[in-house]
Amino acid sequence: MNFTIYYATTSNTTESVTISDLGTVTYNGSTCGDDENGPRIAVQFRSGFSWTANFTKAASTYSIDSISFSYNTSDNTTFPDAKDKGVVTFHDRVAVRIPLNEIFRCNSLSTLEDHDVVQNYWNVLVQAFVPNGTVSTKEYLCDKDNTSTTVSPIIHTTVPSPTTIPTPKEKPEIGNYSVSNGNGTCLLATMGLQLNITQDKVSSVININPSTTDFTGSCHSQTALLRLNSSTIKHLDFVFAMKNENRFYLKGVDISMYLANGSVFSIANNNLSYWDAPLGSSYMCNKEQTVSVSGAFQINTFDLRVQPFNVKEGKYSTAQECSLDDDTILIPIIVGAGLSGLIIVIVIAYLIGRRKSYAGYQTL
């Protein structure tokens, strides 16, 4: 399960936070129930979060009756700049009925949504009122699993084939991004971005749509940051740094995004070395180039041009082209090889001529 919470800030804006890593979990308050109260699963995690599922029983069925979710906006780390402080609790009626002595299974994604909280659940497997402590072998499937006669668009428990091949994607649209500070534009980037993600042996290819992508960032004396985000991308950070005080390069990439199954994919690598160019210039690579962040995540770039430092009047400086673009490099190689061959021929001819002329003289 994961949770997305929307909250108001002191600046009258709305921010969101997604809780997918529950961290250390406790189960205080969980009970098998008694004659008056049904079973209850109570879960506590992170700082001030709690989740409770209550079960009830009828003559031949039992129900997942309700779910409660609580969080504390006084936690400044999780809810920075929150306007209202305190514990907030949401109660949702579920009322899913399951035959007694059967396991309830729901592999498909289920969502409970209130005004401020979105709760996502998948791979659910639960049985309440277990007779004599013996778990049933008979399963009761949720409606979404029962109606899935073909491949479901959201896959959670099916073991993927190791030979799964991502669907080929067309070239992504080119986006123009910029970052400004008090002195004007300090970072420029133009590029088409294609994300290649592998998780649980399943590969997916995602093109970033610039028209639905927001961007922010920051510029400092030695580093610069470009951050992209959208409805599915929590953040995609490109971190630039200086090298030897006279060059810049892409030092790190950090991504956190939602996948189709509701899980969060997060990868960070701050030891990269891409897009190297002299300070005062821009880096350009029109052909497709791959930034390998990890074995599970690569970024393909198209029509790339970046300048994270020394931007003048909001315009790119002279570009240093990548080797993939520099087709003319063959010309100097051919010319150099030709000159080298000519020099060798001249030297050989000189040595032969010198030997013949030297052989005609006698020592006095």
Side-chain angles (χ1 to χ4, degrees):
M1 55 188 176
N2 63 30
F3 310 90
T4 298
I5 304 161
Y6 297 89
Y7 66 97
T9 67
T10 55
S11 56
N12 294 321
T13 61
T14 300
E15 297 292 336
S16 66
V17 59
T18 296
I19 308 300
S20 56
D21 181 5
L22 305 189
T24 302
V25 176
T26 57
Y27 304 94
N28 299 325
S30 298
T31 176
C32 290
D34 50 33
D35 293 337
E36 296 182 1
N37 301 297
R40 178 175 63 250
I41 301 173
V43 182
Q44 302 83 39
F45 53 96
R46 294 183 60 155
S47 177
F49 289 89
S50 65
W51 177 88
T52 304
N54 295 289
F55 299 84
T56 58
K57 183 171 68 171
S60 59
T61 62
Y62 69 93
S63 299
I64 305 174
D65 184 66
S66 63
I67 289 177
S68 300
F69 177 63
S70 298
Y71 56 93
N72 192 344
T73 55
S74 299
D75 180 4
N76 293 325
T77 302
T78 307
F79 303 98
D81 198 32
K83 182 178 181 179
D84 300 315
K85 304 290 187 179
V87 177
V88 181
T89 302
F90 286 91
H91 300 279
D92 290 283
R93 297 286 298 177
V94 182
V96 176
R97 294 187 177 275
I98 305 111
L100 280 172
N101 198 27
E102 291 189 18
I103 296 177
F104 174 74
R105 178 187 288 277
C106 195
N107 296 334
S108 300
L109 181 68
S110 301
T111 300
L112 295 177
E113 186 169 354
D114 284 298
H115 178 67
D116 294 324
V117 176
V118 178
Q119 306 177 49
N120 292 316
Y121 304 93
W122 62 95
N123 290 359
V124 176
L125 186 68
V126 62
Q127 181 183 355
F129 305 99
V130 179
N132 302 320
T134 303
V135 177
S136 175
T137 58
K138 189 174 181 180
E139 293 184 351
Y140 178 86
L141 298 180
C142 64
D143 291 339
K144 286 187 177 181
D145 284 6
N146 263 324
T147 57
S148 298
T149 57
T150 59
V151 177
S152 172
I154 300 174
I155 301 173
H156 300 291
T157 59
T158 302
V159 178
S161 169
T163 58
T164 300
I165 300 173
T167 303
K169 284 277 187 178
E170 61 184 13
K171 184 177 177 180
E173 294 183 30
I174 307 303
N176 294 298
Y177 312 101
S178 63
V179 176
S180 299
N181 56 16
N183 299 321
T185 302
C186 58
L187 182 152
L188 290 171
T190 301
M191 51 190 170
L193 295 172
Q194 188 176 80
L195 310 182
N196 292 267
I197 297 173
T198 302
Q199 189 175 60
D200 298 329
K201 299 181 182 179
V202 175
S203 298
S204 57
V205 179
I206 303 168
N207 286 346
I208 290 184
N209 184 355
S211 62
T212 59
T213 301
D214 297 322
F215 54 91
T216 57
S218 59
C219 299
H220 305 282
S221 58
Q222 298 289 320
T223 60
L225 167 71
L226 173 64
R227 167 167 289 186
L228 309 183
N229 65 279
S230 66
S231 59
T232 56
I233 299 175
K234 296 172 65 177
H235 66 260
L236 172 56
D237 292 351
F238 295 91
V239 181
F240 299 89
M242 289 189 184
K243 180 190 295 185
N244 302 325
E245 301 296 328
N246 59 3
R247 300 185 71 85
F248 72 83
Y249 69 105
L250 178 66
K251 181 180 186 294
V253 169
D254 185 345
I255 187 172
S256 180
M257 67 177 295
Y258 303 106
L259 299 182
N261 62 6
S263 64
V264 176
F265 177 83
S266 298
I267 288 288
N269 188 340
N270 290 310
N271 295 296
L272 302 178
S273 185
Y274 291 95
W275 308 349
D276 188 301
L279 282 175
S281 67
S282 59
Y283 176 87
M284 183 168 66
C285 197
N286 292 320
K287 292 186 178 178
E288 181 179 352
Q289 189 179 30
T290 299
V291 174
S292 182
V293 180
S294 72
F297 180 54
Q298 295 84 39
I299 302 175
N300 292 339
T301 63
F302 301 80
D303 297 319
L304 168 71
R305 191 170 186 180
V306 293
Q307 186 172 346
F309 300 102
N310 299 351
V311 177
K312 306 291 185 183
E313 300 179 351
K315 299 178 181 179
Y316 285 110
S317 301
T318 303
Q320 173 172 306
E321 295 187 56
C322 65
S323 58
L324 294 173
D325 286 353
D326 194 4
D327 296 330
T328 59
I329 195 172
L330 292 175
I331 296 176
I333 291 175
I334 294 172
V335 172
L339 290 175
S340 299
L342 181 60
I343 291 172
I344 292 172
V345 170
I346 293 173
V347 170
I348 293 174
Y350 169 75
L351 292 176
I352 293 174
R354 187 168 178 268
R355 178 178 297 175
K356 287 183 178 180
S357 15
Y358 179 75
Y361 292 90
Q362 297 295 327
T363 304
L364 295 177

